[in-house]
Amino acid sequence: MGPGALFEPLISTVSSWKGVLLQGALLTVQIAAGSFLVGLLLGMTSAVAKLWGGPATRAVASAYTTVFRAIPELLLIILLYYAGSSGLSAFLAALGFGLVEINGFATAVAVLGIVQGAYAGEIFRGAILAIPTGQLEAGRAFAFTPWLFLRRIILPAMLPVALPGLANLWVVLIKETSLISVIGFSELLSSAKSAAASTRMYFTFYCVAGLMYLVMTLASNLLFQSVERRFRRTQQAI
């Protein structure tokens, strides 16, 4: 019996769960992408509020970034999914509506996005502070509207500075999607757990899941490096 024949049963078993694992990986990427977009919007809003908002707005933004960077994501997921659904159901029942159940995908995107927004806000704030003062004064001299000022001056100048930090957040976010397995949502790690429990091949399937996370991370790094090089070329041309 050749060496290859020894691994045939192992390869056959892993292949039989290939569809489940790929579906879990796809859900992982979808949750990460949705959460990342939510985090970018909240982060930019938080950074702008801290830098140019009034006292009350700055206080709210500071409280947001402090609280949601301090509380573990796992605890937030549990609170929103269980306590949040109970509170929302009770509130709607008092208004005469029926029972409401919070979707696991929406919970994951919302919670991870809110947490990512707290970190992204600090990245954006630091990147904006790194913009040369002359560029900001030029925008004010042309009397740009706030939206035009943000689009033409702030974003092009801050993104090359912010991209390395955002890339790191994205990589961390891919791994943090595994936390939603506690609410029964079948992402990559949960799919690997199901396969391992069914076949008793725990080491094999957890290694496969680890390799899939590694592939997603390496692909993400290449993508962010390409985007960063493009932004820097554009900045040098200007």
Side-chain angles (χ1 to χ4, degrees):
M1 182 181 294
L6 296 175
F7 293 98
E8 285 182 4
L10 177 64
I11 295 172
S12 176
T13 303
V14 173
S15 297
S16 66
W17 286 88
K18 178 176 64 176
V20 175
L21 294 173
L22 290 176
Q23 180 64 27
L26 177 61
L27 285 173
T28 291
V29 173
Q30 290 174 340
I31 292 168
S35 303
F36 195 64
L37 290 176
V38 172
L40 291 180
L41 292 174
L42 291 176
M44 179 56 70
T45 302
S46 170
V48 171
K50 277 189 171 184
L51 292 171
W52 296 299
T57 306
R58 288 198 299 269
V60 171
S62 296
Y64 163 65
T65 55
T66 301
V67 170
F68 285 96
R69 285 187 300 161
I71 300 177
E73 290 88 337
L74 182 59
L75 178 57
L76 288 171
I77 291 173
I78 294 172
L79 287 175
L80 180 60
Y81 187 75
Y82 293 107
S85 60
S86 300
L88 183 60
S89 297
F91 175 72
L92 293 177
L95 297 178
F97 295 95
L99 182 66
V100 174
E101 193 172 321
I102 298 181
N103 179 270
F105 183 88
T107 302
V109 170
V111 173
L112 295 178
I114 290 171
V115 174
Q116 290 298 307
Y119 288 98
E122 292 304 294
I123 292 175
F124 285 142
R125 188 176 67 88
I128 292 172
L129 291 174
I131 299 174
T133 307
Q135 294 185 28
L136 300 177
E137 291 177 348
R140 296 189 184 100
F142 282 104
F144 284 167
T145 62
W147 168 245
L148 190 60
F149 185 70
L150 179 66
R151 185 168 62 89
R152 298 292 299 273
I153 301 295
I154 300 296
L155 289 179
M158 62 162 276
L159 280 177
V161 180
L163 271 174
L166 295 177
N168 187 56
L169 278 185
W170 168 257
V171 171
V172 172
L173 181 57
I174 290 177
K175 295 184 293 183
E176 287 183 346
T177 56
S178 62
L179 297 175
I180 66 167
S181 60
V182 298
I183 59 176
F185 199 74
S186 187
E187 39 65 64
L188 177 55
L189 183 59
S190 180
S191 299
K193 285 180 181 178
S194 299
S198 298
T199 61
R200 302 296 179 184
M201 298 168 61
Y202 294 97
F203 180 77
T204 298
F205 279 99
Y206 286 138
C207 283
V208 170
L211 287 174
M212 294 177 77
Y213 279 116
L214 179 61
V215 169
M216 287 188 286
T217 298
L218 292 176
S220 299
N221 287 340
L222 291 175
L223 177 61
F224 274 98
Q225 287 171 6
S226 175
V227 173
E228 186 177 352
R229 283 196 299 269
R230 176 172 295 184
F231 269 107
R232 292 197 181 280
R233 282 199 301 266
T234 302
Q235 199 174 40
Q236 289 173 358
I238 295 174

